[in-house]
Amino acid sequence: MKKYLKILIPLLVVVTVLIIGTSIAFADEEVPVKAINTDSVSKPTFGDPLQVAYGSVDGKKVFATYAVTAPATGKMYIDVKAAETNQYGITSAIGTVSDGDSFSYYDNRTSYTSPGATDLGIGCFDVVKGKTYYVGLNSTLETTATVQVKAYIIPYANNRTLKASSTFTIASAIKGIDNKETALYYKIKPTKTGVITVTLKNYGSSDSYGYITLYNSSKKVRSEKLRYSSTSSSYKVRFGVKKGVTYYLKATGIYGYSKENYKYGIKYSIKAATDRSLSKKSNAKTLKRGATATATLFTANGSTETDWYKFKVTKARETVLKIDLTEMRGSDQKITITSYKGSKKIGSSTLYPGNSYDYTIKDILTGKASTGTYYIKLTKTKKLSGKYKIKYAQ
């Protein structure tokens, strides 16, 4: 609900003069403002004391208004520090001015600041970058009261660019008053081919939750909607990406807390990995028995994809391959592993992200694999990506 105040000149000349006088006398006063884009950016310091308006018209408060231009799109808040010399409390709000004298603001987002007190996070007002808004100040019973004010914005602007960093980028979890789930896209362009790990932070809570979905540059989905939780390593959000390719991360289900201005943080890190492009049997990579595991990347390309490997069994023995998918995520995604001896298919199994497997090749009668050259085909589903490891263990 918005509350409107319109000062009518014929009704109260004294008040009208006071407001006009305040507007002229304090037109050059500035309310310091910052966009809190990352958790390394602090609020501005308080500005100079500002004169408040006194009284009401037709039962509606008269506000002295001070302009603030928004440096970002998001939620604007103000902190208010009342002078100790004030005799009564001060009502403050953020809003817009129309028709030259009508101040509109969120009625349930005002604050009443007692003399000598400081109130934080007032307003919660939706603002757009580059537009001008107003801080309104009123005292019901006092003509000489002053307060100091600072303004800050928690952004919810879409398509902001994220770079791999240890610092959280800050965003507002809500837009409007009641919407508790604002979906935001973040643009990324990895500087290396590898695995990105996305981390969320819900300020005001020891635990953080939310959902991340990966999209390509045209905002076509490239992953499942993955749940993030700070309480378990199995809920890490990881994707395989290519250097220089543009992607978007869609963040949802992050609610925030009012005491922390409904803000949350998002960041990602990246580790290099090799996309070996082993899509043809003729290009199969050779695995040697007992050698270090081979790490290979599946990138988020929105398609099924196959990698081929080959190895030799030099004498009849039980033969085991170790497949590690612990750095891949997906609840409805899978990898199909198919084994061949030469051109003859001898077995197939389903593997699921987040797990490790021992894949055994043996004859049903002898319990051993016979001598010869074997091939392994690994095929991922469309929305799966990330790094896996394969080892010819025995």
Side-chain angles (χ1 to χ4, degrees):
M1 178 180 179
K2 292 185 176 180
K3 186 173 180 180
Y4 295 88
L5 166 65
K6 187 155 186 175
I7 300 171
L8 302 175
I9 295 177
L11 293 179
L12 192 56
V13 176
V14 174
V15 173
T16 304
V17 172
L18 174 62
I19 297 303
I20 293 174
T22 300
S23 177
I24 295 172
F26 296 95
D28 293 331
E29 296 289 349
E30 294 183 359
V31 176
V33 60
K34 276 187 181 181
I36 311 300
N37 291 303
T38 72
D39 62 3
S40 63
V41 177
S42 58
K43 296 178 184 178
T45 57
F46 279 110
D48 294 332
L50 302 177
Q51 184 72 46
V52 305
Y54 163 69
S56 61
V57 175
D58 293 338
K60 297 180 180 180
K61 294 175 181 177
V62 176
F63 286 85
T65 54
Y66 298 88
V68 182
T69 300
T73 296
K75 285 285 189 188
M76 182 184 285
Y77 299 87
I78 55 173
D79 293 348
V80 175
K81 182 179 181 181
E84 293 183 0
T85 54
N86 293 349
Q87 297 181 46
Y88 302 98
I90 304 300
T91 299
S92 54
I94 302 173
T96 58
V97 169
S98 60
D99 299 328
D101 54 10
S102 181
F103 180 52
S104 174
Y105 58 96
Y106 292 157
D107 185 58
N108 62 345
R109 295 290 184 172
T110 61
S111 181
Y112 186 80
T113 308
S114 301
T118 300
D119 286 327
L120 309 177
I122 303 163
C124 194
F125 200 85
D126 295 276
V127 299
V128 176
K129 181 178 180 180
K131 292 191 175 183
T132 299
Y133 300 86
Y134 293 84
V135 173
L137 304 172
N138 167 274
S139 175
T140 307
L141 296 169
E142 189 173 1
T143 60
T144 59
T146 62
V147 296
Q148 292 173 277
V149 179
K150 56 185 173 184
Y152 47 98
I153 294 171
I154 309 298
Y156 53 65
N158 249 331
N159 305 320
R160 282 190 289 162
T161 298
L162 296 185
K163 294 183 178 180
S165 175
S166 59
T167 300
F168 282 102
T169 290
I170 300 299
S172 176
I174 64 170
K175 181 179 181 180
I177 292 297
D178 299 318
N179 183 4
K180 293 294 184 179
E181 185 171 350
T182 299
L184 291 180
Y185 288 87
Y186 298 90
K187 183 179 179 179
I188 65 170
K189 193 172 185 179
T191 57
K192 62 183 77 171
T193 295
V195 178
I196 63 168
T197 300
V198 184
T199 304
L200 301 174
K201 181 176 179 62
N202 195 345
Y203 291 90
S205 173
S206 59
D207 300 328
S208 299
Y209 303 92
Y211 293 90
I212 299 294
T213 309
L214 184 71
Y215 291 76
N216 70 2
S217 60
S218 300
K219 291 189 177 175
K220 293 182 178 179
V221 67
R222 288 294 177 259
S223 78
E224 289 182 81
K225 181 180 178 180
L226 297 181
R227 182 175 185 265
Y228 172 84
S229 172
S230 63
T231 62
S232 173
S233 60
S234 63
Y235 282 99
K236 285 186 176 180
V237 173
R238 294 188 174 107
F239 304 110
V241 296
K242 282 191 173 183
K243 176 182 178 180
V245 174
T246 296
Y247 302 89
Y248 287 89
L249 301 173
K250 181 182 179 181
T252 56
I254 314 166
Y255 298 109
Y257 290 86
S258 59
K259 64 181 179 181
E260 291 288 346
N261 303 127
Y262 300 105
K263 71 176 181 284
Y264 70 87
I266 182 171
K267 67 179 180 180
Y268 80 94
S269 59
I270 185 166
K271 289 186 177 180
T274 302
D275 180 359
R276 299 184 186 278
S277 300
L278 305 173
S279 60
K280 295 181 180 180
K281 188 178 180 181
S282 58
N283 292 333
K285 180 174 175 57
T286 300
L287 302 176
K288 293 185 178 181
R289 186 169 180 263
T292 302
T294 297
T296 303
L297 183 72
F298 277 133
T299 59
N301 56 14
S303 303
T304 57
E305 191 173 356
T306 295
D307 282 344
W308 285 88
Y309 296 89
K310 67 179 179 180
F311 61 93
K312 289 184 177 181
V313 176
T314 55
K315 67 177 182 178
R317 64 166 68 93
E318 183 179 275
T319 300
V320 178
L321 298 175
K322 291 187 176 292
I323 316 291
D324 183 349
L325 307 182
T326 57
E327 292 190 56
M328 305 181 85
R329 275 286 307 278
S331 57
D332 295 328
Q333 304 304 301
K334 62 186 179 181
I335 284 181
T336 300
I337 180 170
T338 307
S339 54
Y340 300 82
K341 184 176 183 183
S343 59
K344 181 183 178 180
K345 179 179 176 180
I346 58 175
S348 181
S349 295
T350 299
L351 311 179
Y352 295 96
N355 299 291
S356 295
Y357 297 87
D358 287 351
Y359 185 73
T360 302
I361 299 175
K362 61 183 180 181
D363 184 273
I364 296 176
L365 296 177
T366 66
K368 298 178 180 180
S370 59
T371 58
T373 299
Y374 291 77
Y375 290 87
I376 294 293
K377 181 174 71 172
L378 297 176
T379 303
K380 78 170 186 74
T381 49
K382 291 181 179 181
K383 294 182 180 180
L384 184 63
S385 68
K387 183 178 73 174
Y388 68 89
K389 296 177 183 177
I390 183 169
K391 180 177 181 178
Y392 180 12
Q394 69 182 60

